[in-house]
């Protein structure tokens, strides 16, 4: 009795796995694009190399037409998999390490968390502001020239009493505020 709907359970488990991996991909250092690319290539490679299940698994009888259709799908799956892998490899080899194919898509791959906290109390950020550098300039007033990611410069007025350690600790927040 349960054989006919067993494939629905498999699909639901796969969808839950996709959702969980997408949520994990919103954290820093885990790339959703890598997860989605791995899922797409895994699907293509699996489609082209999978062992054929007995149609009894799905509660349907097998016909000659369905067997032929399975062979055609498998053949095209192999061709599409190889072409996709070669195309992706060519794109990746032609990129430099500082560029991204979709700079506007970073929010799909990382979300500052928790969203209800203000910018100074986040658990993690999705920018490169932790690696900023700065120079102190005394003309015409005491200021800090912060070299933000992407080559952007931010000029922060630091007149007043602030020690070197406090300035260094606040560099990422200056970058996030003015970048």
């Amino acid at each position: 009795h349960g054989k006919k709907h067993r494939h629905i359970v498999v699909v639901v488990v796969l969808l839950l796995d996709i959702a969980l991996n997408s949520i994990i991909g919103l954290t820093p250092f885990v790339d959703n694009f890598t997860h989605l690319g791995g899922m797409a290539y895994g699907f293509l490679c699996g489609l082209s190399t999978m062992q054929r299940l007995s149609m009894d698994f799905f509660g349907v009888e097998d016909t000659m037409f369905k067997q032929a259709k399975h062979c055609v799908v498998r053949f095209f799956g192999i061709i599409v998999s190889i072409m996709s892998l070669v195309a992706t490899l060519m794109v990746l080899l032609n990129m430099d390490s500082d560029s991204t194919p979709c700079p506007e898509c970073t929010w799909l791959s990382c979300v500052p968390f928790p969203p209800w906290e203000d910018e100074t109390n986040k658990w993690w950020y999705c920018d490169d502001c932790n690696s900023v550098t700065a120079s102190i300039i005394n003309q015409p007033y005491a200021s800090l020239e912060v070299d933000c990611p992407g080559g952007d410069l931010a000029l922060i007025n630091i007149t007043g009493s602030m020690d070197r350690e406090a300035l260094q600790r606040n560099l990422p927040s200056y970058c996030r505020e003015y970048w």
Side-chain angles (χ1 to χ4, degrees):
H1 182 68
K3 278 186 173 183
K4 190 170 187 173
H5 300 290
R6 194 175 353 172
H7 62 286
I8 294 173
V9 173
V10 172
V11 170
V12 168
V13 169
L14 286 174
L15 290 175
L16 288 173
D17 184 50
I18 291 168
L20 178 65
N21 278 313
S22 295
I23 290 170
I24 290 171
L26 294 176
T27 62
F29 308 116
V30 179
D31 191 0
N32 257 344
F33 294 109
T34 305
H35 277 138
L36 295 175
M39 181 185 72
Y41 284 125
F43 177 76
L44 287 174
C45 291
L47 184 67
S48 62
T49 60
M50 70 182 169
Q51 283 291 80
R52 189 171 176 287
L53 290 175
S54 166
M55 292 308 287
D56 185 45
F57 178 81
F58 299 105
V60 179
E61 287 188 30
D62 205 4
T63 65
M64 195 63 121
F65 175 73
K66 288 181 182 180
Q67 288 177 351
K69 181 176 136 184
H70 178 74
C71 288
V72 169
V73 166
R74 200 168 171 180
F75 174 75
F76 282 113
I78 290 171
I79 299 300
V80 170
S81 295
I82 292 171
M83 288 175 23
S84 298
L85 286 171
V86 168
T88 303
L89 183 63
M90 296 305 293
V91 168
L92 291 175
L93 288 176
N94 288 326
M95 288 179 56
D96 60 1
S97 62
D98 296 329
S99 66
T100 177
C102 183
E104 294 82 22
C105 300
T106 55
W107 65 272
L108 289 172
S109 192
C110 184
V111 174
F113 192 82
W116 54 86
E117 292 289 340
D118 64 353
E119 284 300 312
T120 58
N121 293 327
K122 300 281 188 195
W123 296 351
W124 67 72
Y125 299 92
C126 302
D127 54 26
D128 294 329
C129 287
N130 287 331
S131 63
V132 299
T133 58
S135 303
I136 296 177
I137 300 172
N138 289 322
Q139 302 292 331
Y141 53 87
S143 60
L144 190 66
E145 185 179 69
V146 180
D147 186 15
C148 293
D152 296 328
L153 293 176
L155 199 60
I156 289 62
N157 185 353
I158 58 169
T159 53
S161 60
M162 189 176 283
D163 64 357
R164 182 182 180 109
E165 289 176 10
L167 284 172
Q168 190 171 7
R169 193 173 45 250
N170 290 329
L171 276 179
S173 62
Y174 293 147
C175 179
R176 287 183 189 101
E177 184 178 338
Y178 294 101
W179 183 38

